Amino acid sequence: MPDNSTDSPLTDLRGLTLQELTDFIVELGEPGFRARQIFSWLYRPGISSFSAMTNLSLAFRARLENIARISCLRVDKREEAGDGTVKYAFKLADNAIIESVLIPDNDRHTLCVSSQAGCAMGCAFCLTGSMGLRRSLTAAEIVNQVIHARNELEAGGKDRINNLVFMGMGEPLANYDNLRRALDILIDDHGLDFSQRRITVSTCGIVPKIEQLGAETRVNLAISLHAADNETRSRLLPINQTYDIAALLKACRAYPLPKRRRIMIEYVLLAGINDSPGDARQLIKILHKLRCKINLLPCNETETLPFKRPERAVVEKFQQILQEAGYTAIIRESRGAEISAACGQLAGKNS
Ligand code: SF4
């Protein structure tokens, strides 16, 4: 039976960075190198108990069983779209539902990870935002989404997860400490061994945390921009009333980018709201000299939100204006819309 309880008195070792695990092990009076041994077991496929950790003594394994645990996530529902996109709904110990989406692209796989159950940011076009925030996820709950999808891929004889994007439910930078802890585990070569180049954190624009992320990591940054003027952006993304476009783009320009890497600008196209040629020209103006590429996301219509998808010709005209100004602008058709797995559609409906 998966152990996913958050109120257990046992310490969940899957939520600890290697340093935190070392502190825990040393406090038990054991040598620090034991922590590295345990850490590398914790992220191997199929490990759910200490009994499998054969390079630890039987007595130490028994001691760990009494004071610690290895959590994993319980799948509430698994849906697969015709294009191969898989949406997992996980039920947490407090019955909150979170969702992750595994998106195949030829032999590559991208996992879209959630950082919170719900979201407090209230972006007008987003179903997760309309739920409000239930709670932030623990580091273990973030990492366990990756472990579950990785295990399923490997059990099916498929390739590994190539890219991780923090674009699922929640605002990752509003759960910064646990995001950082999860990133440490994901990139540790004794943990899940992801390259930071393969991880993208998306934000609606919490400026001080963008600065902190840039100072502390080398992961990619994606910005949910979605409008080129403050009036429209404040209507669509309430965070803009605190950190306006100028403050946000200043933080983006200061974000330390390794050579050849660019910031990803996400722009959802909403008919009659932000999709005019004038909006495209204003976007060119504000993005001046920012090393970026632009993803244009024609809105995924839902029953509950009042936004419409622009005509294809409008989307292509918008793209053309950006391209003629020298920007890389790609029209992204969301995957998995029929199972409500597309951008802005994650709402934990089963809860
Ligand atoms: S778009 Fe992102 S930040 Fe905005 S409400 Fe949705 S999940 Fe939250």
Side-chain angles (χ1 to χ4, degrees), residues 214-278:
E216 295 179 355
T217 75
R218 287 293 170 268
V219 297
N220 299 305
L221 181 66
I223 299 291
S224 294
L225 189 61
H226 307 316
D229 66 89
N230 279 319
E231 196 192 326
T232 310
R233 190 164 195 272
S234 290
R235 259 193 295 136
L236 295 176
L237 296 95
I239 188 74
N240 198 67
Q241 292 158 26
T242 308
Y243 305 109
D244 67 7
I245 290 176
L248 175 57
L249 294 179
K250 188 173 171 213
C252 290
R253 288 192 170 88
Y255 194 81
L257 283 176
K259 270 187 196 155
R260 292 202 299 275
R261 276 206 260 166
R262 290 179 282 178
I263 289 175
M264 195 185 289
I265 299 292
E266 304 286 325
Y267 195 102
V268 64
L269 286 158
L270 308 165
I273 291 177
N274 63 358
D275 63 342
S276 72

Side-chain angles (χ1 to χ4, degrees), residues 119-123 125-130 168-171 204 224 226 237:
C119 184
M121 294 294 139
C123 302
F125 50 84
C126 173
L127 275 182
T128 311
S130 68
M169 298 169 78
E171 162 55 56
C204 65
S224 294
H226 307 316
L237 296 95

